[in-house]
Amino acid sequence: MEFFIISVIKIVIVLLIILTVVANLVYVERKVSAAIQNRIGPNRVGPWGLLQSPADVLKLFIKEDIVPSTANPFIHSLAPVISISVALVTFAVVPFGGSVELFGHQVKLMIADVNIGVLYILALTSLGVYGVTLSGWSSNNKYSLLGGLRAAAQLISYELSLGLSIIGVVMISGSLELDRIVEMQSGFQWNAFLTPIGFITFIVASFAETNRLPFDLPEAEPELVGGYHTEYSGMKFGTFFLAEYANMITASSLIVTLFLGGWQFPFLETFGLPAMMATVVQVLTFVTKVAFVLFFFIWIRWTIPRFRYDQLMNLGWKVMLPLALVNLVITGGLILAGLF
Amino acid sequence: MTTNGQQKRPQIRKKDLSLWQLSYIPEIIKGMFLTFKQILRPKFTRQYPEEHWTPPSSYRGRPVLVEEDGVERCVACGLCARVCPALAIEVQASETEELAKERYPERFEINMLRCIFCGFCEEACPEEAIVMSNEYELVFSNQEDAIFGKEKLLMTTEQLKERLEFLKESR
């Protein structure tokens, strides 16, 4: 019972925080893109345009929800739900702090302490394809279908290098538990430094997994109108939109957890802070790192143009996959030599 | 050297590139630095409703009638209405004894929904009585409001000083 209540509280808090961050990430993206293009960006709604996201969400809720007459209405409605729930549920295993003692209970700062965390992540990110593909298929529109097919092909191609680059990390820490992986990265023993190739392949693959530029082929506007969400309107479209940003947050927190030391603040234990303070610092460290990776996501989006479809496939199969395999061999060799 | 005097850039072939260059990583880093530098540079955005743009005198805004000494210059010859390609102008002439001129427009209407801002009326006018102003904010809530009568079209010579001088120079 106690475990149940604690879990529910954690879920509610984390869900609220993530949904708020997702909404405001849209604002941040628009501001950063504006800055990169020498513009100002949204500044009309509220101070500095901070109320832009609530206004947008409100607008999407009020808008008419149009379902094409030839669409499959059940799957048409189901697809955005799959997209957003997969994006949010993946966050369940991400540890955002060590354990803390609250009101006499030892609370771990992650929602689900699963001992196969990495497998859980890989399983769920593959599920994300269904949302995109089903939405493309059920719309009964050739552009949507093309977008959905592209998404399926792209996600499957990059899933491989994503998984293989995680295996390097798993080999080093010898565990599938994310908590354990983070603990192994104390000090500056970040996996990003230990397996640099794996780090790069993971970042590139997660860009492809989240459908962000330079890999946003499933929704390439000039070619596919809107891609898989062409036939969506109102809050169903908004759900896809939010799912994209929720995916971004999940991907960033995975990059941080697996490669950038998670909530570890280097050499925090030497400062001799009280336990409560240390936990606050850990959570803040995690948030700051995620924020930096998110900025990197946005920064890349406004720097690099979109790949052509054949280039995308070439990169995925002929470059990323061999690189991930090479990374495995190198990491294995280093472990065999006893360096880690 | 090409004909326009620019140095032709040496052609880069894929076989000449090293593996490091082929990975695109140096170019991506270069691009990232470029976009980051843009963040620090001044912004170009004009905060429009607060920060109004005044067009140069060569700008063709909405056509207006020139008012000199309290009377419009127009003698209602109807040339503007004749030349208007969009048939936006309607003039109804009338005779007068009181003014220096013999004819004056009893009614002068421009349908701003038809006007295409070509400036032919201004060019055709023998009296320089209809000119293009620098106003570009035209908002109406119904079609009747879009038909501008004399009361909306008249503008004093002081208000149109820049445009009139520009016309003098360019003619």
Side-chain angles (χ1 to χ4, degrees):
Chain A
M1 193 60 202
E2 183 191 303
F3 171 77
F4 180 73
I5 292 170
I6 292 176
S7 297
V8 167
I9 292 172
K10 279 194 286 197
I11 289 171
V12 168
I13 291 175
V14 170
L15 197 65
L16 282 181
I17 290 176
I18 287 188
L19 285 179
T20 322
V21 174
V22 163
N24 285 298
L25 193 61
V26 183
Y27 166 79
V28 172
E29 162 119 48
R30 290 180 63 182
K31 271 288 185 195
V32 171
S33 69
I36 285 176
Q37 297 169 350
N38 297 336
R39 298 184 285 113
I40 294 174
N43 65 345
R44 296 280 150 175
V45 196
W48 304 289
L50 273 171
L51 295 178
Q52 184 70 48
S53 301
D56 283 346
V57 172
L58 188 70
K59 185 199 80 176
L60 284 171
F61 266 116
I62 296 170
K63 285 236 165 184
E64 186 190 354
D65 176 39
I66 303 163
V67 180
S69 53
T70 50
N72 183 332
F74 176 68
I75 297 180
H76 194 75
S77 315
L78 184 69
V81 178
I82 296 179
S83 274
I84 189 104
S85 45
V86 165
L88 292 176
V89 166
T90 316
F91 204 85
V93 290
V94 175
F96 45 90
S99 50
V100 66
E101 191 153 329
L102 275 178
F103 312 115
H105 298 290
Q106 194 71 15
V107 180
K108 265 199 164 176
L109 288 182
M110 62 196 290
I111 292 173
D113 189 10
V114 194
N115 56 2
I116 49 158
V118 172
L119 272 183
Y120 174 84
I121 289 166
L122 285 175
L124 276 177
T125 46
S126 336
L127 271 184
V129 189
Y130 283 100
V132 176
T133 318
L134 285 181
S135 67
W137 175 77
S138 65
S139 301
N140 207 353
N141 169 330
K142 50 179 170 290
Y143 292 117
S144 301
L145 184 61
L146 277 174
L149 287 179
R150 277 188 181 190
Q154 173 181 328
L155 296 188
I156 290 169
S157 310
Y158 282 84
E159 196 79 54
L160 276 175
S161 38
L162 189 85
L164 283 175
S165 46
I166 295 184
I167 288 183
V169 174
V170 174
M171 278 160 73
I172 291 172
S173 46
S175 167
L176 288 168
E177 272 174 87
L178 288 175
D179 215 22
R180 176 100 185 104
I181 291 174
V182 172
E183 271 163 29
M184 288 290 287
Q185 302 180 66
S186 59
F188 266 109
Q189 279 184 323
W190 293 359
N191 287 330
F193 303 132
L194 300 183
T195 61
I197 304 175
F199 179 51
I200 291 173
T201 46
F202 187 82
I203 282 192
V204 174
S206 48
F207 271 104
E209 287 285 311
T210 50
N211 293 337
R212 293 281 297 178
L213 262 156
F215 303 109
D216 69 335
L217 293 186
E219 45 188 306
E221 298 95 353
E223 304 158 25
L224 296 175
V225 191
Y228 57 88
H229 54 54
T230 307
E231 296 290 357
Y232 281 85
S233 54
M235 203 51 213
K236 279 189 202 163
F237 167 75
T239 312
F240 273 121
F241 200 66
L242 293 183
E244 186 190 329
Y245 285 89
N247 263 325
M248 241 171 95
I249 293 176
T250 312
S252 310
S253 42
L254 284 183
I255 290 172
V256 168
T257 307
L258 292 172
F259 289 96
L260 297 176
W263 42 261
Q264 295 268 10
F265 189 91
F267 311 113
L268 183 68
E269 57 279 1
T270 53
F271 300 158
L273 287 172
M276 202 58 210
M277 272 296 287
T279 314
V280 171
V281 171
Q282 282 169 351
V283 174
L284 283 180
T285 317
F286 181 76
V287 170
T288 321
K289 282 175 181 173
V290 171
F292 267 109
V293 178
L294 282 175
F295 176 75
F296 183 75
F297 262 78
I298 297 170
W299 186 11
I300 284 273
R301 171 169 182 189
W302 297 100
T303 305
I304 304 172
R306 180 182 303 129
F307 278 102
R308 220 169 48 218
Y309 191 63
D310 58 322
Q311 290 173 332
L312 175 92
M313 283 297 152
N314 275 345
L315 188 71
W317 290 104
K318 293 188 187 166
V319 181
M320 301 316 292
L321 188 61
L323 264 183
L325 287 172
V326 164
N327 174 55
L328 267 190
V329 173
I330 293 177
T331 314
L334 288 176
I335 289 173
L336 203 63
L339 283 176
F340 297 147
Chain B
M1 298 287 269
T2 50
T3 41
N4 58 8
Q6 275 182 343
Q7 189 76 42
K8 203 180 172 192
R9 294 180 73 186
Q11 201 178 3
I12 301 167
R13 289 182 188 281
K14 205 172 176 183
K15 67 177 171 59
D16 300 331
L17 295 174
S18 63
L19 192 65
W20 172 239
Q21 283 171 315
L22 271 178
S23 71
Y24 296 117
I25 289 174
E27 294 298 318
I28 287 174
I29 292 172
K30 241 194 254 175
M32 306 268 294
F33 268 106
L34 186 83
T35 42
F36 195 81
K37 258 193 291 182
Q38 301 302 316
I39 294 178
L40 310 170
R41 285 185 46 192
K43 311 278 175 261
F44 283 107
T45 313
R46 178 191 299 275
Q47 298 283 7
Y48 165 61
E50 291 94 40
E51 208 182 318
H52 197 86
W53 176 59
T54 315
S57 54
S58 59
Y59 185 82
R60 293 202 306 267
R62 75 178 174 97
V64 293
L65 288 173
V66 183
E67 181 182 345
E68 204 169 20
D69 307 326
V71 198
E72 72 279 342
R73 277 180 179 174
C74 181
V75 295
C77 65
L79 275 177
C80 47
R82 185 75 190 79
V83 81
C84 181
L87 305 179
I89 306 177
E90 194 182 322
V91 194
Q92 202 168 58
S94 191
E95 287 182 18
T96 172
E97 305 273 300
E98 297 141 36
L99 300 170
K101 57 191 185 184
E102 285 173 9
R103 285 156 60 90
Y104 78 100
E106 195 179 22
R107 210 155 61 86
F108 194 108
E109 283 176 357
I110 302 182
N111 187 341
M112 292 314 296
L113 288 174
R114 294 197 136 224
C115 179
I116 58 170
F117 304 92
C118 62
F120 281 9
C121 45
E122 181 186 50
E123 276 186 48
C125 187
E127 299 286 324
E128 211 166 72
I130 183 167
V131 297
M132 309 301 276
S133 67
N134 62 1
E135 281 183 18
Y136 51 86
E137 284 163 329
L138 289 161
V139 185
F140 346 98
S141 50
N142 59 55
Q143 297 196 354
E144 282 74 41
D145 283 356
I147 300 169
F148 281 18
K150 252 163 61 165
E151 72 287 348
K152 276 188 190 164
L153 289 174
L154 282 174
M155 249 190 182
T156 58
T157 38
E158 287 89 69
Q159 283 170 297
L160 294 163
K161 209 170 145 226
E162 278 176 37
R163 181 65 182 180
L164 291 170
E165 270 167 26
F166 167 78
L167 290 174
K168 239 171 248 161
E169 276 167 37
S170 56
R171 269 188 185 157

XYZ file of all heavy atoms in Angstrom, chain A residues 32 34-40 43-44 200 295-296 299-300 302-304, chain B residues 25 28 31-33 35-36 38-39 41-45 47-50:
317
model
N 14.382 30.258 -29.584
C 15.749 29.972 -30.030
C 15.840 30.081 -31.542
O 16.772 30.683 -32.092
C 16.208 28.586 -29.539
C 17.526 28.211 -30.180
C 16.347 28.578 -28.040
N 14.013 31.852 -33.451
C 13.935 33.267 -33.797
C 15.289 33.934 -33.594
O 15.754 34.700 -34.440
C 12.878 33.951 -32.939
N 15.948 33.617 -32.477
C 17.243 34.229 -32.191
C 18.262 33.846 -33.258
O 19.049 34.682 -33.713
C 17.723 33.801 -30.813
N 18.217 32.573 -33.685
C 19.182 32.122 -34.688
C 18.920 32.821 -36.011
O 19.842 33.105 -36.771
C 19.125 30.583 -34.810
C 19.809 29.955 -33.604
C 19.790 30.105 -36.095
C 19.746 28.469 -33.553
N 17.648 33.147 -36.288
C 17.327 33.825 -37.545
C 17.230 35.338 -37.378
O 16.586 36.009 -38.173
C 16.009 33.278 -38.082
C 16.094 31.811 -38.426
C 14.749 31.199 -38.706
O 13.718 31.809 -38.470
N 14.757 29.996 -39.229
N 17.823 35.880 -36.316
C 17.834 37.322 -36.045
C 16.433 37.900 -35.900
O 16.180 39.044 -36.261
C 18.582 38.093 -37.135
C 20.032 37.705 -37.187
O 20.572 37.228 -36.198
N 20.652 37.889 -38.319
N 15.505 37.105 -35.382
C 14.171 37.614 -35.114
C 13.975 37.693 -33.613
O 14.867 37.347 -32.846
C 13.115 36.684 -35.720
C 13.187 36.550 -37.217
C 12.056 35.693 -37.753
N 12.269 34.269 -37.496
C 11.527 33.538 -36.691
N 10.538 34.089 -36.035
N 11.763 32.264 -36.529
N 12.777 38.127 -33.196
C 12.489 38.222 -31.768
C 11.702 37.011 -31.297
O 11.937 36.486 -30.220
C 11.714 39.516 -31.460
C 12.593 40.725 -31.735
C 11.261 39.540 -30.017
C 11.887 42.038 -31.592
N 6.230 37.356 -28.608
C 6.382 38.285 -27.483
C 5.088 39.040 -27.214
O 5.094 40.051 -26.541
C 7.515 39.272 -27.751
C 7.206 40.175 -28.905
O 6.302 39.910 -29.677
N 7.946 41.247 -29.034
N 3.968 38.559 -27.749
C 2.726 39.316 -27.606
C 1.872 38.822 -26.444
O 1.217 39.602 -25.787
C 1.902 39.215 -28.888
C 2.575 39.838 -30.059
C 2.391 41.318 -30.037
N 3.536 41.951 -30.664
C 3.630 43.249 -30.881
N 2.669 44.048 -30.527
N 4.715 43.745 -31.433
N 28.166 9.301 -29.973
C 27.757 9.984 -31.209
C 26.659 9.197 -31.919
O 25.638 9.764 -32.327
C 28.990 10.199 -32.125
C 29.908 11.231 -31.501
C 28.546 10.668 -33.499
C 31.213 11.399 -32.198
N 18.618 22.121 -25.661
C 19.083 23.260 -26.458
C 19.882 22.768 -27.659
O 19.738 23.282 -28.772
C 19.931 24.195 -25.595
C 20.525 25.332 -26.377
C 19.736 26.393 -26.774
C 21.860 25.328 -26.741
C 20.256 27.425 -27.510
C 22.389 26.357 -27.482
C 21.595 27.416 -27.867
N 20.684 21.736 -27.421
C 21.473 21.151 -28.517
C 20.553 20.614 -29.616
O 20.803 20.838 -30.801
C 22.347 20.038 -27.943
C 23.267 19.402 -28.940
C 24.400 20.055 -29.378
C 22.980 18.143 -29.447
C 25.229 19.474 -30.300
C 23.812 17.558 -30.364
C 24.943 18.226 -30.790
N 19.211 23.596 -31.442
C 20.327 24.228 -32.144
C 20.620 23.471 -33.444
O 20.746 24.059 -34.519
C 21.512 24.217 -31.207
C 22.731 24.943 -31.653
C 22.852 25.805 -32.717
C 24.006 24.880 -31.039
N 24.117 26.272 -32.775
C 24.850 25.718 -31.771
C 24.518 24.198 -29.930
C 26.191 25.894 -31.430
C 25.828 24.372 -29.598
C 26.658 25.220 -30.337
N 20.689 22.147 -33.351
C 20.941 21.309 -34.533
C 19.831 21.509 -35.547
O 20.073 21.649 -36.739
C 21.025 19.818 -34.129
C 22.348 19.499 -33.451
C 20.814 18.917 -35.330
C 23.456 19.150 -34.388
N 18.057 23.992 -36.290
C 18.125 25.221 -37.074
C 19.472 25.391 -37.738
O 19.787 26.470 -38.228
C 17.771 26.417 -36.200
C 16.380 26.268 -35.749
C 15.965 25.817 -34.526
C 15.199 26.448 -36.525
N 14.594 25.728 -34.499
C 14.114 26.113 -35.704
C 14.965 26.876 -37.834
C 12.801 26.176 -36.153
C 13.657 26.937 -38.264
C 12.604 26.600 -37.428
N 20.321 24.369 -37.739
C 21.617 24.465 -38.405
C 21.685 23.567 -39.627
O 22.122 23.997 -40.688
C 22.740 24.077 -37.426
O 22.632 24.885 -36.278
C 24.092 24.267 -38.073
N 21.238 22.311 -39.466
C 21.484 21.318 -40.500
C 20.214 21.094 -41.320
O 19.146 20.906 -40.747
C 21.941 19.992 -39.863
C 23.166 20.265 -39.001
C 22.285 18.985 -40.930
C 23.585 19.098 -38.198
N 31.706 16.033 -40.025
C 31.732 16.607 -38.675
C 32.350 18.012 -38.659
O 31.769 18.926 -38.063
C 32.455 15.641 -37.708
C 31.564 14.420 -37.479
C 32.738 16.313 -36.381
C 32.206 13.337 -36.679
N 29.772 20.404 -39.950
C 28.635 20.567 -39.033
C 29.031 21.494 -37.897
O 28.282 22.405 -37.522
C 28.188 19.189 -38.491
C 27.462 18.408 -39.591
C 27.271 19.360 -37.297
C 27.117 17.003 -39.219
N 29.042 24.985 -39.075
C 27.678 25.492 -39.193
C 27.074 25.821 -37.836
O 26.389 26.829 -37.680
N 27.352 24.977 -36.838
C 26.805 25.223 -35.504
C 27.346 26.530 -34.940
O 26.622 27.293 -34.307
C 27.179 24.083 -34.564
C 26.800 22.717 -35.041
S 25.223 22.170 -34.501
C 25.462 22.014 -32.777
N 28.660 26.778 -35.173
C 29.231 28.030 -34.688
C 28.566 29.214 -35.373
O 28.267 30.233 -34.741
C 30.743 28.064 -34.926
C 31.516 27.553 -33.749
C 32.120 26.312 -33.777
C 31.599 28.311 -32.590
C 32.798 25.824 -32.684
C 32.278 27.845 -31.495
C 32.878 26.591 -31.547
N 25.498 29.439 -36.634
C 24.154 29.706 -36.129
C 24.224 30.254 -34.710
O 23.409 31.093 -34.334
C 23.284 28.442 -36.139
O 24.058 27.352 -35.690
C 22.767 28.163 -37.517
N 25.197 29.805 -33.912
C 25.289 30.318 -32.544
C 25.662 31.795 -32.549
O 25.175 32.573 -31.741
C 26.311 29.515 -31.735
C 26.191 29.764 -30.261
C 25.220 29.109 -29.525
C 27.010 30.667 -29.623
C 25.074 29.353 -28.181
C 26.869 30.914 -28.267
C 25.898 30.249 -27.552
N 24.759 33.913 -34.676
C 23.578 34.710 -35.031
C 22.746 35.061 -33.811
O 22.078 36.094 -33.789
C 22.709 33.953 -36.036
C 23.399 33.601 -37.331
C 23.933 34.809 -38.049
O 23.276 35.817 -38.161
N 25.163 34.715 -38.518
N 22.780 34.188 -32.778
C 21.973 34.453 -31.587
C 22.401 35.771 -30.950
O 21.582 36.534 -30.455
C 22.129 33.288 -30.578
C 21.520 32.017 -31.158
C 21.472 33.624 -29.263
C 21.650 30.817 -30.278
N 23.716 38.376 -32.413
C 23.643 39.563 -33.268
C 22.322 40.307 -33.086
O 21.341 39.747 -32.602
C 23.818 39.144 -34.732
C 25.270 38.816 -35.034
C 25.508 38.527 -36.487
N 24.867 39.493 -37.377
C 24.763 39.291 -38.681
N 25.228 38.196 -39.209
N 24.189 40.190 -39.439
N 22.285 41.610 -33.436
C 21.042 42.371 -33.239
C 19.902 41.823 -34.079
O 20.113 41.217 -35.127
C 21.422 43.784 -33.681
C 22.645 43.624 -34.497
C 23.372 42.456 -33.944
N 18.678 42.066 -33.596
C 17.489 41.536 -34.267
C 16.989 42.518 -35.326
O 17.158 43.716 -35.198
C 16.386 41.303 -33.243
C 16.858 40.537 -32.026
C 16.875 39.063 -32.283
C 17.439 38.287 -31.136
N 18.832 37.911 -31.320
N 16.348 41.967 -36.344
C 15.847 42.804 -37.431
C 14.364 43.149 -37.269
O 13.859 43.995 -37.973
C 16.021 42.081 -38.773
C 17.425 42.104 -39.268
C 18.209 40.977 -39.233
C 17.954 43.277 -39.757
C 19.510 41.007 -39.688
C 19.247 43.317 -40.216
C 20.023 42.181 -40.179
N 13.687 42.453 -36.358
C 12.231 42.559 -36.294
C 11.776 43.987 -35.999
O 12.312 44.646 -35.129
C 11.699 41.628 -35.197
O 12.313 40.360 -35.345
C 10.209 41.492 -35.289
N 8.670 46.020 -34.499
C 7.480 45.761 -33.687
C 6.340 46.554 -34.281
O 5.993 47.626 -33.795
C 7.753 46.165 -32.233
C 8.856 45.375 -31.588
C 8.391 44.005 -31.180
O 7.281 43.585 -31.480
N 9.244 43.269 -30.496
N 5.680 46.016 -35.308
C 4.878 46.824 -36.214
C 3.848 47.777 -35.611
O 4.045 48.976 -35.759
C 4.260 45.971 -37.319
C 3.158 46.686 -38.039
C 3.439 47.862 -38.723
C 1.857 46.233 -37.995
C 2.437 48.561 -39.361
C 0.865 46.927 -38.634
C 1.152 48.093 -39.308
O 0.174 48.770 -39.926
N 2.829 47.323 -34.930
C 1.815 48.347 -34.597
C 2.389 49.479 -33.748
O 1.941 50.610 -33.854
C 0.746 47.564 -33.826
C 1.037 46.152 -34.069
C 2.482 46.035 -34.386
N 3.376 49.171 -32.919
C 3.987 50.221 -32.100
C 4.993 51.029 -32.917
O 5.107 52.233 -32.765
C 4.709 49.615 -30.893
C 3.797 49.001 -29.850
C 3.599 47.518 -30.071
O 4.580 46.843 -30.413
O 2.459 47.030 -29.921
